[in-house]
Amino acid sequence: MIGLISATAAGAAARNRLAAAWPDRTRVYEGPVGDAVRAAFAECEQLVCFLATGAVVRLVAPLLEGKAADPGVVCVDEGGRFAVSLLGGHGGGANELAAEVGRLLGAEPVVTTATDSAGLAGLDTLGLPVEGDVAGVSRALLDGEPVVLDAEVAWPLPALPVLPRAGGEEAQGACVIRVTDRAVEPRAHEVVLRPPSLVVGVGASRGVAAEEVLGLVEGALREAGLSARSVDRLATVDAKSGEPGLITAAERLGVPLVTYSAQGLAGVTVPNPSRAPLDAVGTPSVAEAAALAGGGELLVPKRKSERADGAPAMATCAVVRRPVRGRLAVVGLGPGARDLLTPRAEAELRRASVLVGLDQYVDQIRDLLRPGTRILESGLGAEEERARTAVAEARAGHAVALIGSGDAGVYAMASPALAEASDDIDVVGVPGVTAALAAGAVLGAPLGHDHVSISLSDLHTPWEVIERRVRAAAEADLVVTFYNPRSRGRDWQLPKALAILAGHREPGTPVGVVRNASRRDESSRLTTLAGLDPATVDMMTVVTVGNTATREIAGRMVTPRGYRWQDTRPEEAR
């Protein structure tokens, strides 16, 4: 919950805007400011104070307990110009909150944490348990000193300006970032990141105590030299989903309890099947099968609990290191203008450690990448190679961003990439503003009714197929947006397509021509189906041909939606 506190009418107005925008996330604290801040500090995970920073400092100073416990605090000035991340920038999420508040109120977020100011990913913001010399290693990263990444377990981390550790060799840098699920203590000048790489399968008799389950699991991890902080989940059979001892054990470990059907577990090959669980729940293995259900390496075979009273064991467990799942984000950059790049796309670019893309698109967003991002760029015509490269990097356990212009799923990289990808990686699609939409906004509202986009490039699609699609669009009276309309080597396709449309539409049908939509050298014009000169069109141009209802109104291209109420308006209003 986010506590909102204000002292003046202007502050209350801005406060109320946040409360209206985030009704489920916020709570307004009224009354004397001091009392409100103290109450919100005790009850909320974050605070937004519409007060001077000095006043907030004096109010919260006596309340501070420590970096891990204090809420994040953001201050917004009286004029609503700045949203200052004052306390808990990383641990309390104040840096992200300042950005959110800034976007909503039109304020400039002010972030002073060193890693964020330098564009680095904070080691305590990666979403993984972290131990060791966070401040010292972060300082080394900021100072450009050598820091070695020792990834014993591959994991899709964001970009870090680090050196890979050569296999088996001692780290060459003074500082080390170690990614491991082993129970090791951080050494001097070292940070240990704990990836959630372990799955613990558990079997249990009815009425098993949580203490017996926890003792068994913790003992198995300890003897195998594994960290409990890397346990991702407990897994068992459906029949045990309501077992109180298992539920409580998972809660105490801070992980979910995941269940599988007996039939599904019976199909998992295990080294130690048993008759007892087969008779009890219908599968020859619970602990090992549940741990291995998602694949992986069996680190601890099935073992039974030991009870102090010598009674029969009521729990079994097995531990598996699950396969690493890399992450592939297919990101649409929009038509070119920076303000048409979505916040989600920007966040994915900053989350990636590997960027794959066409060289000219990489140049558009190079300044947004974090230091240490590995860039794999290539020229025109290498789409399939880029798709294969991006998928291969994700399969190696990296966080990858594959970029394309407009929307990555429209004549761009999503299709070839997903044709290469299988279910062994996580794939995220990030939509972008397409060229057709950008051009449509420039022209007016040409896409107000049913419309279609057709590429006239026959480099990969036979012209016979393209022509059939143009004819279908013409006969269906669809507004048509032509991508890739004309190049030096392809100068006849656009005239041919226009001739097909002319067989179904009047010569005066409006046509919009937009070149470099949304970019600095953008140009546009309205013409007609009979008046368009194809020689004025190139590959940077989008051509939009209206349907039989499209009109030019006040210099804008408009395709009526066809609402019934429009037919009842007075003639002069139509």
Side-chain angles (χ1 to χ4, degrees), residues 469-547:
R469 292 170 179 171
V470 175
R471 290 189 184 281
E475 293 171 359
D477 196 27
L478 298 173
V479 175
V480 181
T481 298
F482 288 123
Y483 280 70
N484 306 313
R486 184 176 181 274
S487 67
R488 290 182 180 179
R490 293 186 301 100
D491 58 0
W492 59 268
Q493 286 89 344
L494 179 59
K496 177 67 172 176
L498 294 174
I500 294 171
L501 293 176
H504 296 77
R505 300 177 193 184
E506 295 294 328
T509 300
V511 175
V513 181
V514 181
R515 189 176 190 277
N516 286 329
S518 87
R519 302 183 185 183
R520 288 183 179 179
D521 54 349
E522 172 189 283
S523 63
S524 65
R525 68 184 188 278
L526 278 181
T527 182
T528 63
L529 190 54
L532 175 61
D533 180 4
T536 63
V537 173
D538 62 13
M539 285 288 286
M540 305 303 294
T541 305
V542 172
V543 178
T544 301
V545 181
N547 67 10

Side-chain angles (χ1 to χ4, degrees), residues 84-134:
V84 182
S85 174
L86 183 69
L87 178 70
H90 286 166
N95 291 350
E96 293 180 4
L97 180 59
E100 285 190 271
V101 170
R103 282 193 292 270
L104 188 60
L105 300 181
E108 181 72 22
V110 179
V111 174
T112 59
T113 46
T115 50
D116 293 272
S117 299
L120 292 172
L123 297 176
D124 53 352
T125 67
L126 302 181
L128 302 180
V130 59
E131 304 166 13
D133 187 10
V134 174

Side-chain angles (χ1 to χ4, degrees), residues 125-166:
T125 67
L126 302 181
L128 302 180
V130 59
E131 304 166 13
D133 187 10
V134 174
V137 176
S138 297
R139 188 164 51 249
L141 290 170
L142 289 165
D143 291 343
E145 297 176 2
V147 176
V148 171
L149 178 63
D150 186 0
E152 297 177 8
V153 177
W155 207 257
L157 299 174
L160 294 166
V162 293
L163 305 170
R165 180 175 182 177

Side-chain angles (χ1 to χ4, degrees), residues 105 134 188 205 283 292 465 489 515 555:
L105 300 181
V134 174
S205 300
T283 173
L292 286 166
V465 175
R515 189 176 190 277

Side-chain angles (χ1 to χ4, degrees), residues 558 560-571 573-574:
V558 180
R561 179 66 183 89
Y563 293 114
R564 293 179 180 176
W565 58 261
Q566 290 182 313
D567 295 332
T568 64
R569 292 178 299 161
E571 182 66 31
R574 295 186 189 180

Side-chain angles (χ1 to χ4, degrees), residues 21-254:
W22 301 335
D24 299 327
R25 299 176 59 192
T26 57
R27 180 186 303 162
V28 173
Y29 285 79
E30 304 279 7
V33 169
D35 294 342
V37 169
R38 284 187 287 273
F41 201 92
E43 297 170 358
C44 297
E45 292 81 19
Q46 295 175 319
L47 282 70
V48 178
C49 300
F50 296 86
L51 306 165
T53 55
V56 177
V57 167
R58 285 189 290 273
L59 288 170
V60 303
L63 310 176
L64 301 180
E65 296 182 12
K67 188 174 182 178
D70 297 331
V73 178
V74 170
C75 291
V76 180
D77 66 291
E78 183 74 5
R81 295 174 301 167
F82 303 104
V84 182
S85 174
L86 183 69
L87 178 70
H90 286 166
N95 291 350
E96 293 180 4
L97 180 59
E100 285 190 271
V101 170
R103 282 193 292 270
L104 188 60
L105 300 181
E108 181 72 22
V110 179
V111 174
T112 59
T113 46
T115 50
D116 293 272
S117 299
L120 292 172
L123 297 176
D124 53 352
T125 67
L126 302 181
L128 302 180
V130 59
E131 304 166 13
D133 187 10
V134 174
V137 176
S138 297
R139 188 164 51 249
L141 290 170
L142 289 165
D143 291 343
E145 297 176 2
V147 176
V148 171
L149 178 63
D150 186 0
E152 297 177 8
V153 177
W155 207 257
L157 299 174
L160 294 166
V162 293
L163 305 170
R165 180 175 182 177
E169 296 181 6
E170 288 298 318
Q172 298 300 309
C175 293
V176 176
I177 299 172
R178 194 188 324 188
V179 185
T180 183
D181 54 20
R182 295 190 300 114
V184 296
E185 291 295 324
R187 295 171 292 207
H189 311 300
E190 182 178 74
V191 162
V192 174
L193 298 175
R194 304 287 189 193
S197 55
L198 303 178
V199 178
V200 179
V202 288
S205 300
R206 180 178 301 174
V208 67
E211 289 73 15
E212 183 172 348
V213 176
L214 286 170
L216 172 64
V217 171
E218 291 167 355
L221 294 170
R222 184 171 55 253
E223 291 180 23
L226 299 170
S227 172
R229 302 191 75 184
S230 281
V231 174
D232 179 63
R233 56 185 178 266
L234 296 189
T236 190
V237 66
D238 281 347
K240 299 297 177 180
S241 61
E243 190 64 48
L246 295 184
I247 295 172
T248 301
E251 289 174 349
R252 291 186 187 175
L253 287 170

Side-chain angles (χ1 to χ4, degrees), residues 227-490:
S227 172
R229 302 191 75 184
S230 281
V231 174
D232 179 63
R233 56 185 178 266
L234 296 189
T236 190
V237 66
D238 281 347
K240 299 297 177 180
S241 61
E243 190 64 48
L246 295 184
I247 295 172
T248 301
E251 289 174 349
R252 291 186 187 175
L253 287 170
V255 299
L257 178 65
V258 177
T259 63
Y260 299 95
S261 69
Q263 182 180 4
L265 294 183
V268 178
T269 301
V270 298
N272 300 293
S274 173
R275 183 74 192 181
L278 180 62
D279 293 338
V281 294
T283 173
S285 173
V286 173
E288 289 181 340
L292 286 166
E297 176 188 4
L298 183 63
L299 303 179
V300 179
K302 181 180 71 175
R303 55 184 291 168
K304 297 180 179 180
S305 56
E306 296 180 1
R307 304 179 66 182
D309 59 4
M314 297 186 69
T316 59
C317 82
V319 182
V320 164
R321 179 178 290 133
R322 64 189 180 103
V324 62
R325 290 183 66 85
R327 191 174 191 275
L328 174 62
V330 188
V331 181
L333 300 180
R338 178 56 61 86
D339 59 354
L340 291 182
L341 177 72
T342 67
R344 186 181 300 181
E346 185 171 343
E348 287 294 345
L349 294 175
R350 297 180 64 78
R351 178 172 180 165
S353 62
V354 180
L355 182 84
V356 182
L358 180 68
D359 47 15
Q360 57 185 289
Y361 297 153
V362 172
D363 289 340
Q364 291 179 20
I365 47 83
R366 199 182 295 269
D367 62 301
L368 298 177
L369 305 178
R370 290 191 187 275
T373 303
R374 185 156 51 93
I375 300 173
L376 304 176
E377 54 188 318
S378 53
L380 286 168
E383 288 83 2
E384 293 182 7
E385 176 189 342
R386 285 194 290 274
R388 286 193 293 268
T389 297
V391 171
E393 291 289 338
R395 284 193 177 125
H398 300 299
V400 182
L402 175 62
I403 59 174
S405 67
D407 183 280
V410 179
Y411 302 123
M413 293 305 302
S415 178
L418 297 189
E420 290 285 335
S422 52
D423 62 359
D424 56 347
I425 61 174
D426 295 323
V427 178
V428 177
V430 182
V433 178
T434 67
L437 296 178
V442 172
L443 295 170
L447 309 182
H449 210 309
D450 297 337
H451 55 275
V452 64
S453 296
I454 299 177
S455 171
L456 294 183
S457 173
D458 58 357
L459 294 178
H460 300 291
T461 304
W463 173 253
E464 293 76 14
V465 175
I466 297 172
E467 182 173 342
R468 187 166 65 247
R469 292 170 179 171
V470 175
R471 290 189 184 281
E475 293 171 359
D477 196 27
L478 298 173
V479 175
V480 181
T481 298
F482 288 123
Y483 280 70
N484 306 313
R486 184 176 181 274
S487 67
R488 290 182 180 179
R490 293 186 301 100

